[in-house]
Amino acid sequence: MQIDYSLFELKPITQLNRLKRKKFQGVFFRVEKKFYLEYFPWEEFGDHSCDYVLDSIKRTKKLPPVLNQQLRLEKDQKDIEKKVFKNHLLVKPHESIQMISGVYKVKYLGELNVLSKFISSLNGKVRLDFNNALDEKTFLLFWNSLSAGDKEKIEFVEDPCCFSYKVWSKFDSAGVPLANDFNPYQATICRFTVFKPNRNEFLPRKNQIFSSYMGAELGQYHAYLALMLWGDTSLYHGIVTNDIYSNQLNLFKKQDEQLYSLQHNLVEKMYSQLEEREWKNLI
């Protein structure tokens, strides 16, 4: 199996996480000169670097499981039905929100009292993602400060702090609807799991939210294919990350407030751009 590679960089339009990185590196792979894969690491959350993955593939002469999963999606994509899907709206608490209902997603890095006021102002549901940034005491103070009505608005809280079965059991006992992303899956504690096809192998689970990995367009497309093949399209997902990087192709078009469809012409343009890249042989 011939595998070629091409490194790429993404430059965010606004700050994406608490580490304030100004650029992000990933690597595309080309298999047998016709199938394309994407590896986009978040090393601050424990992912291996691009160099590590390149060295591993060169040494073992095989793709890691998550890239093999992408390869299967690439090969099967013509047979996968391309349907519309529901996507949560990624917002920041200081933004003026026009939507009167639906599902919001907040990746929060700021003052918790600002977040509390924002939740009170909403009419829809909200998903909170802290990326393990809080500690047990801080999160419980925040949760206990919310009114019963505001707690009902929270569909789930994703990764409030680093996983500990003891600590997360306390959250569960306090009525927190937990969701898992970077932490180990604990089906007895978490009401939702967040599945990222660009990082994890698929396992069937109830209330599974499909999400892109905030990488390049190819990764979004593969996450979409995985949702079409394995996911529950009655749920709101996290595939769409439009307009977060410079010179980004927005592969998904909004049909109404939170319903999206694939723009096939932009998928074709994406593959044309991949074909035109400079490629180096790996194995």
Side-chain angles (χ1 to χ4, degrees):
M1 179 168 61
Q2 180 178 336
I3 300 177
D4 306 310
Y5 74 96
S6 179
L7 294 169
F8 67 90
E9 277 190 351
L10 300 177
K11 295 181 180 179
I13 297 170
T14 60
Q15 181 186 341
L16 296 185
N17 64 25
R18 61 185 180 272
L19 299 183
K20 300 182 181 180
R21 286 167 59 188
K22 292 186 180 187
K23 60 183 179 180
F24 299 82
Q25 186 182 66
V27 57
F28 294 123
F29 293 96
R30 183 178 64 179
V31 179
E32 301 295 353
K33 295 191 174 182
K34 60 181 177 179
F35 301 115
Y36 295 93
L37 319 174
E38 177 186 320
Y39 181 73
F40 185 79
W42 291 86
E43 292 179 55
E44 53 265 57
F45 296 121
D47 292 339
H48 293 304
S49 69
C50 292
D51 286 341
Y52 179 95
V53 171
L54 287 166
D55 289 343
S56 176
I57 294 172
K58 190 169 186 176
R59 185 181 69 254
T60 62
K61 309 296 183 191
K62 62 182 181 180
L63 294 169
V66 72
L67 290 178
N68 265 321
Q69 178 173 262
Q70 288 185 40
L71 182 58
R72 292 194 298 273
L73 292 170
E74 277 276 300
K75 290 180 176 180
D76 295 342
Q77 64 174 293
K78 290 183 179 179
D79 298 324
I80 298 174
E81 184 181 0
K82 316 297 192 299
K83 298 177 289 186
V84 297
F85 64 99
K86 294 187 287 189
N87 202 87
H88 59 227
L89 180 65
L90 191 62
V91 296
K92 296 177 181 178
H94 63 267
E95 293 177 339
S96 176
I97 304 301
Q98 301 300 319
M99 189 173 67
I100 59 173
S101 63
V103 178
Y104 307 85
K105 172 74 178 284
V106 177
K107 286 179 171 286
Y108 201 58
L109 313 171
E111 296 295 327
L112 294 175
N113 63 327
V114 175
L115 180 58
S116 298
K117 291 176 183 177
F118 175 75
I119 294 169
S120 294
S121 73
L122 295 178
N123 293 315
K125 289 282 189 178
V126 63
R127 297 167 171 179
L128 304 180
D129 183 2
F130 293 103
N131 283 142
N132 292 343
L134 304 181
D135 56 42
E136 174 189 355
K137 181 179 178 180
T138 302
F139 175 73
L140 282 175
L141 283 172
F142 163 72
W143 179 256
N144 291 330
S145 73
L146 298 173
S147 69
D150 286 349
K151 288 177 181 176
E152 285 294 318
K153 296 177 184 178
I154 299 174
E155 186 177 43
F156 61 72
V157 178
E158 185 178 336
D159 296 339
C161 66
C162 291
F163 181 79
S164 153
Y165 191 87
K166 180 180 179 180
V167 171
W168 282 41
S169 293
K170 288 182 184 178
F171 296 163
D172 182 54
S173 297
V176 181
L178 291 165
N180 243 350
D181 178 5
F182 288 104
N183 294 295
Y185 288 156
Q186 297 289 339
T188 58
I189 295 177
C190 295
R191 303 184 198 180
F192 291 82
T193 56
V194 178
F195 169 57
K196 296 184 174 177
N198 307 106
R199 191 191 68 201
N200 302 114
E201 290 183 88
F202 175 70
L203 290 172
R205 293 181 185 277
K206 186 179 179 181
N207 292 333
Q208 189 157 219
I209 309 303
F210 282 62
S211 174
S212 68
Y213 207 32
M214 293 183 74
E217 296 91 343
L218 183 63
Q220 280 192 71
Y221 180 56
H222 287 155
Y224 167 79
L225 292 176
L227 170 61
M228 294 297 103
L229 192 60
W230 302 315
D232 180 355
T233 53
S234 71
L235 299 174
Y236 286 82
H237 295 276
I239 304 296
V240 181
T241 51
N242 288 347
D243 300 317
I244 62 171
Y245 298 113
S246 300
N247 304 314
Q248 181 179 354
L249 293 175
N250 292 333
L251 299 184
F252 304 102
K253 183 178 181 180
K254 187 182 288 188
Q255 299 296 309
D256 62 19
E257 208 161 59
Q258 291 189 277
L259 193 68
Y260 287 81
S261 63
L262 182 68
Q263 299 199 82
H264 296 271
N265 61 317
L266 293 185
V267 173
E268 292 175 6
K269 184 175 181 178
M270 174 190 72
Y271 278 110
S272 294
Q273 291 177 350
L274 287 168
E275 290 170 4
E276 293 167 2
R277 294 185 67 86
E278 181 179 342
W279 295 91
K280 297 180 181 179
N281 182 250
L282 185 61
I283 59 173

